[in-house]
Amino acid sequence: MTSMEIKTGSAPSSRSGGDDSGALLDVRDLHVEFHTRDGVVKAVNGVNYNVSSGETLAVLGESGSGKSVTAQAIMGIVDMPPGKIPQGEILFRGQDMLKMSNEERRKIRGSKIAMIFQDALSSLNPVLSVGYQLGEMFRVHEGMSRKQAKAKAVELMERVKIPAAKDRVNDFPHQFSGGMRQRIMIAMALALEPDLIIADEPTTALDVTVQAQVMDLLAELQQEYNMGLILITHDLGVVADVADKIAVMYAGRIVETAPVHELYKRPAHPYTRGLLDSIPRLDQKGQELYAIKGLPPNLLHVPSGCPFNPRCPKAQDICRTEVPPLVPVTEQDGTDLPGRGSACHFWEETIHG
Amino acid sequence: MAELNKAEAAEPADETPNVSEVDAVDAATETEAVAAIEASVERGEPILQVRNLVKHFPLTQGILFKRQIGAVKAVDGISFDLHQGETLGIVGESGCGKSTVAKLLMMLEQATAGEIFYKGQDITKLSGRALKAVRRNIQMVFQDPYTSLNPRMTVGDIIGEPFEIHPEAAPKGSRRQKVQDLLDVVGLNPEYINRYPHQFSGGQRQRIGIARGLALNPEIIICDEPVSALDVSVQAQVINLMEKLQDEFNLSYLFIAHDLSIVRHISDRVGVMYLGKMAEIGSDQSIYDHPTHPYTQALLSAVPVPDPEAREGRERIILTGDVPSPANPPSGCRFRTRCWKAQDKCAQEEPLLAVPERFKSSDSPVAHESACHFAEEKDVVHAA
Amino acid sequence: MPDLTKTETADAPDQAAEVTAAEPRNGAGAVGKPRSLWGDAWRDLRRRPLFIIGSLLIVLMLVVAAWPGLFTSADPGSGDLANHFLQSPNLTHFFQPDWFGYDGQGRSIYARVVYGTRNSLLVGFGVTITITLFGGLMGMLAGYFGGFWDSLISRLTDVFFGIPFLLGAMVVLNSVDQITVPVVIGALAFLGWTQITRVMRGAVITNKHADYVTAARALGAGTKRILLKHILPNAMAPVIVIATIALGTYIVAESTLAYLGLGLNGISWGSDINDATQNIRNNPHVLFFPAGMLSLTVLAFIMLGDAVREALDPKLR
């Protein structure tokens, strides 16, 4: 973990520089790579995004898009080695977490930023009772007694609407259903009232009816505590429900950013458009599905130019040679579309054509 | 295997638009469309008839002298038909027994009770040679393309294995060619025949699994969550391939999935399962546009739709609680513990799967089988 | 990472796209040349120093065991008490009879070490092959068929685990008239097969429920095919690792028995070690060379086993 500080060596003055955007978390030009036997896997290649208090940012991408690795870098849980962060900044309330000491970072993690994982069963310790694990936070971070901590645990379980919390506080994780376990994970993340929650595919392992319950709970708690929420998912449906703004990732880059309504109405990147077209609809029977051809990219050999070019129906010569930067997207007459950006050489045709 | 040669000439999945499906669905053409489906579906005897199928897994206690203390009622009396060339979708949440149904149809589990008729013959009673012969006609595509292919066999051996088990299906000399034809049919390069599964990505592996399923020229393919392990952008490729193959080989699919959108896309008829029972079954329009069972309505309303605007106009029914344990299901209607309509009757009397009395005279898609005492129509999918 | 097969697929553009964009996760990369898992393990092994050193040593031992006459002209059996009684080694006299010195009966220690290799390796390989075949078969039966067979075989292995290995072997060897190589092999295998059975049983149970086995059953495959084509190749890896490491320990066991006076009729490192202990204070070299060879052999097999395990373990890939 110590390699973090060394590798990012830019001037330490930026630490004090209060950020004018007022963002809670600001990720700037983040790169993450993994050194494996077969070569260097470039998992994240220059990601920029920010999230403010009370705001929900959805990071959308398929497996290998780098969406989870970005979150792990924010949490400081990337395994190093083989992982490495050669450049970038992760500003939390204006302070670069990559330049902090381990101790400082540890304080932020858990108490200011919390994470919820997909697989609640493997994230909970099977041999400790749920109440003990929930109370641990208070004992370690706030020095409470055992009894106080347990009372707090019951309170938290009631918070996330676990029925009969008092009776179940001494139960073990395997005695809960999948949905209830995910609630416990949420309770754990909430324990110290963090400013930011990162949820990595929080409902993917759950059934639809339970999924809806859990997402609703998460949204409700977020409002109540005015937290920032980063929701990492591959599911375009889940995103549409809860996100304020969306960042679409492909091959370790952000290829499109947009407010949620805009993205679905007028995608400005062929990948986003392809994804939207390739999912069948619930409310009517469609014709043959549109399919994005080819396979997701191999991160050992990301195609030159735009990483999406081998699969893109619009690809031209320029796409094979030049990496398109994330540029602001405007109306046809040049009016600003706030929050919108696209990393496509032909974004104008994609959105307006 | 004459069909394979035909397939060779056919185009890859992408271009050819599929015209056989029912396209735009608005109120005016609706009944017409239903009639069309019914006509295409009901040609003679169903190829597969399932009657009161039951599978209980015994729960035992004790080490030396095992004694049964109960049973997990994974499948508890379900019935349905599958016709030639048709896709029947089965949806339900985890633990509803849909995967057990697949295993029972594949004769991978012995049914506790009930019958499965394949062309009029009850296959649950078969064994040995007769069973092996039936197996040729019922094949399966598995959920996980990573674990369903033997990592130590080449692709050629994997796809060719059906021929080794059923030598009468193809003479020895022609097998290599047949395997290469199959690779071509599923859109893989025939030269990959000597490669190993770990050299392929998830989507390609699932194509290999499909090729294996096709090898014996079956009439029925049971698909257990065939795309849920794949990336979104690859799912569409595999779904399109499956539809193309269905048209080419006149296959019948039993398509088991939890993704309701995909099931609607591919299915002609859909059955909704809850806790080992069929809650509702009917044409895709009946289920999606005119659901009458509260569970189906809740399920449909909970599906996250990738369209924020349509979303806002839709009613959402959020169920409370979790699915009860199949070892100890509620009395009467199994859904009553989570149902907002539940009354005393629901606890005492089990609702039968039948067309509800009040809709019997109707000729709209609302008249379909639904196991609810208080069945009423409610459109939860379309924005108000 | 093999090169992408662009030329191969040029005629099928659809597939070319699939091939160029390959799987990012497992590092298998593009669908290049056929690469079996065994092949991958072998490629991986060839680059490991542990494997290279271990296998070179083992090959050397095998050659020594097969043709001891190539390495020494001295007769290991006859000694010259008058001239060579407990002579110290002459470490510069490579391959000469007095290289390692002479023992208490005036026999060349070098020649005895060379000729002793055969019996040690014979016992090691003999026991390992026997227990792998028999124990593997038992483990497969128990794991695959379960129920009654599993209970029977598992209880049987429990019984054998209860017998102290060396004590049991001593009892067996004490009861025979002549201790020959097959007798030692039989005794050690009789007491040692359960180790492989347990490993094999576990591996078979894991693989029995794999989807590809279900797929084969759905096709109508018979028990024989499922066991031999699907389960066995996938269950072999842990058995190979355990067997390789066990081979070394059986060589030690043979020597231990010889040290305890239950040695083979013939030359063996163990009986030499036994003899050497009488003079250990004044003439440690008599002990050092046979004991050193024994340790080196065992070490070679353990190194090999470790390297194989790392190459075969998919989690380390």
Side-chain angles (χ1 to χ4, degrees):
Chain A
M1 211 71 84
T2 46
S3 58
M4 260 184 169
E5 289 90 350
I6 302 157
K7 301 302 178 215
T8 50
S10 69
S13 58
S14 65
R15 187 185 285 196
S16 54
D19 202 56
D20 43 40
S21 71
L24 184 61
L25 183 88
D26 196 351
V27 177
R28 289 181 182 173
D29 195 29
L30 185 72
H31 287 70
V32 183
E33 50 191 43
F34 293 92
H35 294 259
T36 69
R37 215 165 59 194
D38 295 315
V40 178
V41 175
K42 295 198 166 138
V44 179
N45 301 307
V47 160
N48 293 285
Y49 62 57
N50 61 67
V51 60
S52 311
S53 295
E55 188 180 45
T56 302
L57 164 73
V59 181
L60 187 79
E62 296 179 89
S63 62
S65 64
K67 59 187 195 299
S68 295
V69 177
T70 311
Q72 286 165 6
I74 295 170
M75 286 304 288
I77 51 173
V78 175
D79 284 330
M80 299 195 224
K84 208 174 147 184
I85 301 181
Q87 67 184 97
E89 289 178 330
I90 300 173
L91 304 175
F92 181 74
R93 293 199 183 283
Q95 294 201 332
D96 189 354
M97 290 176 53
L98 292 179
K99 292 205 200 73
M100 289 179 185
S101 69
N102 283 337
E103 190 55 28
E104 282 177 289
R105 202 166 36 235
R106 207 169 57 84
K107 272 193 190 137
I108 289 186
R109 211 193 297 160
S111 64
K112 299 275 184 243
I113 307 180
M115 190 153 175
I116 301 168
F117 297 91
Q118 173 178 351
D119 186 357
L121 186 57
S122 65
S123 312
L124 292 166
N125 186 336
V127 297
L128 295 176
S129 77
V130 157
Y132 184 89
Q133 293 184 61
L134 280 170
E136 201 167 17
M137 287 285 199
F138 299 105
R139 286 194 308 277
V140 174
H141 285 272
E142 295 183 359
M144 287 190 184
S145 73
R146 231 158 223 274
K147 205 165 173 189
Q148 282 173 310
K150 184 158 274 177
K152 269 282 193 186
V154 174
E155 201 185 301
L156 272 175
M157 285 169 74
E158 278 163 357
R159 255 267 127 78
V160 294
K161 296 175 186 157
I162 292 174
K166 250 201 177 74
D167 305 323
R168 304 209 64 183
V169 69
N170 291 323
D171 283 1
F172 290 87
H174 68 267
Q175 292 170 289
F176 290 86
S177 69
M180 287 299 151
R181 278 199 291 264
Q182 200 53 278
R183 282 166 194 265
I184 291 163
M185 283 300 293
I186 293 174
M188 211 171 256
L190 283 177
L192 300 172
E193 304 192 5
D195 300 333
L196 175 69
I197 286 195
I198 302 175
D200 191 352
E201 305 267 10
T203 59
T204 306
L206 305 176
D207 285 318
V208 255
T209 54
V210 182
Q211 223 173 55
Q213 296 170 3
V214 171
M215 279 320 301
D216 272 21
L217 174 72
L218 205 55
E220 193 187 310
L221 292 167
Q222 183 205 3
Q223 280 216 320
E224 199 181 316
Y225 291 99
N226 195 32
M227 296 179 295
L229 175 65
I230 299 180
L231 178 71
I232 296 164
T233 180
H234 70 278
D235 189 328
L236 283 148
V238 170
V239 176
D241 273 3
V242 293
D244 298 315
K245 57 184 190 183
I246 299 183
V248 182
M249 285 188 73
Y250 187 82
R253 290 193 175 86
I254 291 184
V255 293
E256 179 165 7
T257 58
V260 66
H261 284 244
E262 295 271 317
L263 185 94
Y264 288 87
K265 225 188 298 170
R266 287 190 302 176
H269 194 283
Y271 174 63
T272 318
R273 161 148 291 176
L275 276 186
L276 285 171
D277 288 347
S278 67
I279 38 180
R281 293 184 61 108
L282 190 63
D283 53 358
Q284 66 181 58
K285 190 141 186 142
Q287 305 182 5
E288 190 182 12
L289 291 174
Y290 172 79
I292 301 177
K293 65 183 182 186
L295 301 173
N298 180 349
L299 295 176
L300 281 167
H301 302 279
V302 179
S304 64
C306 172
F308 188 57
N309 84 67
R311 308 176 70 187
C312 183
K314 288 194 165 65
Q316 308 283 327
D317 286 343
I318 183 177
C319 303
R320 285 181 267 275
T321 52
E322 259 174 66
V323 180
L326 189 68
V327 293
V329 167
T330 60
E331 287 289 4
Q332 239 155 344
D333 57 11
T335 327
D336 251 8
L337 287 168
R340 292 215 61 171
S342 168
C344 177
H345 292 299
F346 301 99
W347 63 266
E348 278 171 306
E349 285 101 287
T350 311
I351 188 170
H352 303 304
Chain B
M1 293 298 278
E3 289 92 321
L4 277 186
N5 303 331
K6 242 193 303 170
E8 234 181 291
E11 280 293 308
D14 296 10
E15 282 85 8
T16 44
N18 193 342
V19 275
S20 70
E21 305 298 344
V22 187
D23 299 342
V25 181
D26 47 302
T29 57
E30 201 166 80
T31 41
E32 222 179 289
V34 171
I37 287 177
E38 241 118 73
S40 73
V41 160
E42 278 174 22
R43 23 193 141 107
E45 278 281 285
I47 189 164
L48 198 71
Q49 287 171 294
V50 174
R51 292 293 172 266
N52 299 316
L53 196 61
V54 175
K55 179 67 191 179
H56 291 181
F57 294 100
L59 289 171
T60 54
Q61 205 173 43
I63 303 160
L64 220 56
F65 300 101
K66 291 194 171 126
R67 127 186 106 81
Q68 189 170 339
I69 52 161
V72 174
K73 296 169 177 133
V75 176
D76 210 11
I78 68 161
S79 305
F80 59 82
D81 291 346
L82 181 67
H83 297 263
Q84 181 95 47
E86 174 196 47
T87 302
L88 173 65
I90 304 275
V91 294
E93 296 178 278
S94 58
C96 74
K98 56 191 196 299
S99 287
T100 310
V101 170
K103 290 210 172 91
L104 289 169
L105 294 182
M106 292 305 297
M107 302 296 292
L108 290 168
E109 297 278 1
Q110 194 65 43
T112 310
E115 294 98 37
I116 302 166
F117 295 100
Y118 165 73
K119 293 189 172 167
Q121 184 185 26
D122 184 2
I123 60 172
T124 59
K125 308 280 188 299
L126 297 182
S127 61
R129 197 175 289 266
L131 177 61
K132 207 170 160 185
V134 171
R135 283 197 193 281
R136 272 188 65 176
N137 294 309
I138 309 178
Q139 288 294 314
M140 186 162 179
V141 173
F142 290 82
Q143 171 177 9
D144 188 341
Y146 290 88
T147 60
S148 62
L149 308 177
N150 187 339
R152 308 213 181 256
M153 282 165 79
T154 64
V155 168
D157 287 343
I158 289 169
I159 302 176
E161 188 169 34
F163 302 133
E164 304 223 334
I165 295 169
H166 301 271
E168 72 282 3
K172 221 167 188 161
S174 71
R175 284 180 197 163
R176 195 183 155 82
Q177 185 58 45
K178 283 235 155 69
V179 170
Q180 291 190 322
D181 290 349
L182 282 162
L183 279 170
D184 194 51
V185 165
V186 298
L188 290 173
N189 189 331
E191 289 173 28
Y192 292 171
I193 189 162
N194 288 325
R195 311 281 148 86
Y196 286 83
H198 68 276
Q199 298 179 277
F200 295 88
S201 72
Q204 290 174 313
R205 286 175 191 226
Q206 200 56 302
R207 287 170 192 258
I208 296 168
I210 292 172
R212 172 176 60 190
L214 284 177
L216 295 171
N217 232 349
E219 292 172 285
I220 301 167
I221 295 190
I222 317 270
C223 316
D224 188 5
E225 303 266 9
V227 296
S228 59
L230 305 177
D231 268 324
V232 184
S233 72
V234 181
Q235 280 186 0
Q237 293 174 1
V238 173
I239 290 288
N240 285 344
L241 171 70
M242 291 184 64
E243 290 191 319
K244 183 193 93 166
L245 295 172
Q246 179 166 43
D247 292 346
E248 255 171 46
F249 301 120
N250 197 23
L251 296 167
S252 306
Y253 287 148
L254 187 78
F255 193 97
I256 295 167
H258 70 272
D259 186 325
L260 288 124
S261 311
I262 288 178
V263 168
R264 165 150 218 188
H265 177 81
I266 200 166
S267 305
D268 303 309
R269 286 190 308 127
V270 178
V272 182
M273 278 185 75
Y274 185 78
L275 222 56
K277 294 244 181 225
M278 196 69 90
E280 187 167 8
I281 187 166
S283 70
D284 77 285
Q285 280 180 25
S286 305
I287 301 296
Y288 285 82
D289 300 340
H290 308 275
T292 62
H293 196 287
Y295 176 63
T296 313
Q297 291 160 2
L299 202 59
L300 286 171
S301 85
V303 175
V305 173
D307 182 352
E309 259 138 62
R311 183 83 223 176
E312 275 148 26
R314 280 175 53 195
E315 187 189 346
R316 299 182 71 194
I317 305 163
I318 299 220
L319 291 178
T320 51
D322 289 310
V323 184
S325 159
N328 187 20
S331 66
C333 173
R334 297 198 168 180
F335 182 58
R336 71 177 166 84
T337 52
R338 299 172 79 194
C339 183
W340 63 96
K341 287 185 188 168
Q343 301 189 9
D344 290 347
K345 187 182 181 188
C346 302
Q348 287 140 17
E349 208 179 304
E350 187 178 325
L352 298 174
L353 183 67
V355 180
E357 205 58 52
R358 53 191 290 206
F359 300 127
K360 263 196 177 134
S361 53
S362 165
D363 55 358
S364 89
V366 75
H368 61 270
E369 290 170 284
S370 173
C372 178
H373 292 306
F374 305 104
E376 61 187 325
E377 188 181 352
K378 183 172 200 166
D379 184 0
V380 288
V381 167
H382 300 85
Chain C
M1 176 76 73
D3 54 334
L4 304 180
T5 53
K6 268 193 185 132
T7 47
E8 237 183 289
T9 51
D11 50 335
D14 212 35
Q15 291 150 3
E18 294 208 293
V19 175
T20 43
E23 180 69 20
R25 283 277 155 196
N26 57 15
V31 183
K33 296 195 188 79
R35 288 171 45 181
S36 74
L37 289 183
W38 295 119
D40 277 1
W42 170 235
R43 255 183 298 282
D44 190 63
L45 267 183
R46 281 187 315 201
R47 291 201 302 248
R48 284 174 191 275
L50 267 187
F51 171 78
I52 296 167
I53 298 170
S55 45
L56 279 180
L57 277 172
I58 290 167
V59 168
L60 180 71
M61 301 283 178
L62 286 172
V63 174
V64 170
W67 299 284
L70 287 178
F71 293 84
T72 179
S73 52
D75 180 355
S78 67
D80 183 348
L81 272 177
N83 291 333
H84 303 308
F85 181 69
L86 284 174
Q87 213 173 73
S88 298
N90 287 304
L91 291 177
T92 49
H93 293 190
F94 294 105
F95 305 110
Q96 300 301 314
D98 62 346
W99 190 12
F100 295 167
Y102 290 92
D103 68 3
Q105 295 175 55
R107 295 174 299 195
S108 158
I109 294 177
Y110 173 57
R112 290 194 68 81
V113 165
V114 165
Y115 277 90
T117 309
R118 179 179 290 179
N119 281 336
S120 288
L121 288 192
L122 268 180
V123 169
F125 276 98
V127 175
T128 306
I129 290 169
T130 315
I131 62 167
T132 305
L133 291 179
F134 180 74
L137 185 71
M138 285 292 144
M140 219 156 77
L141 289 178
Y144 187 74
F145 293 105
F148 170 75
W149 289 107
D150 189 24
S151 304
L152 185 78
I153 293 171
S154 294
R155 293 299 83 77
L156 208 58
T157 59
D158 290 347
V159 169
F160 275 90
F161 260 94
I163 303 173
F165 186 74
L166 276 177
L167 192 63
M170 283 167 71
V171 171
V172 175
L173 291 183
N174 255 325
S175 66
V176 294
D177 303 334
Q178 234 199 350
I179 300 175
T180 58
V181 169
V183 168
V184 175
I185 291 175
L188 294 181
F190 174 69
L191 292 159
W193 61 276
T194 53
Q195 186 189 10
I196 300 284
T197 302
R198 289 203 162 185
V199 174
M200 183 60 123
R201 176 178 172 271
V204 168
I205 288 177
T206 315
N207 283 289
K208 186 168 77 165
H209 298 294
D211 273 356
Y212 53 83
V213 173
T214 312
R217 280 173 58 209
L219 280 169
T223 304
K224 193 175 127 200
R225 162 171 285 273
I226 288 175
L227 272 175
L228 296 183
K229 276 251 174 184
H230 294 280
I231 292 182
L232 194 59
N234 286 289
M236 277 309 284
V239 174
I240 289 173
V241 172
I242 295 290
T244 315
I245 294 173
L247 210 156
T249 64
Y250 287 115
I251 292 176
V252 174
E254 185 272 329
S255 299
T256 312
L257 287 168
Y259 176 76
L260 293 168
L262 292 161
L264 286 165
N265 292 338
I267 304 160
S268 100
W269 296 336
S271 38
D272 282 4
I273 293 171
N274 185 17
D275 293 346
T277 48
Q278 293 155 9
N279 289 309
I280 190 165
R281 288 189 178 216
N282 299 324
N283 297 286
H285 72 272
V286 185
L287 173 69
F288 180 79
F289 290 101
M293 274 303 277
L294 179 69
S295 307
L296 199 63
T297 313
V298 174
L299 187 69
F301 280 105
I302 289 176
M303 285 199 294
L304 186 71
D306 260 358
V308 170
R309 182 178 55 214
E310 277 174 35
L312 289 179
D313 191 343
K315 281 185 219 100
L316 295 171
R317 305 197 136 255

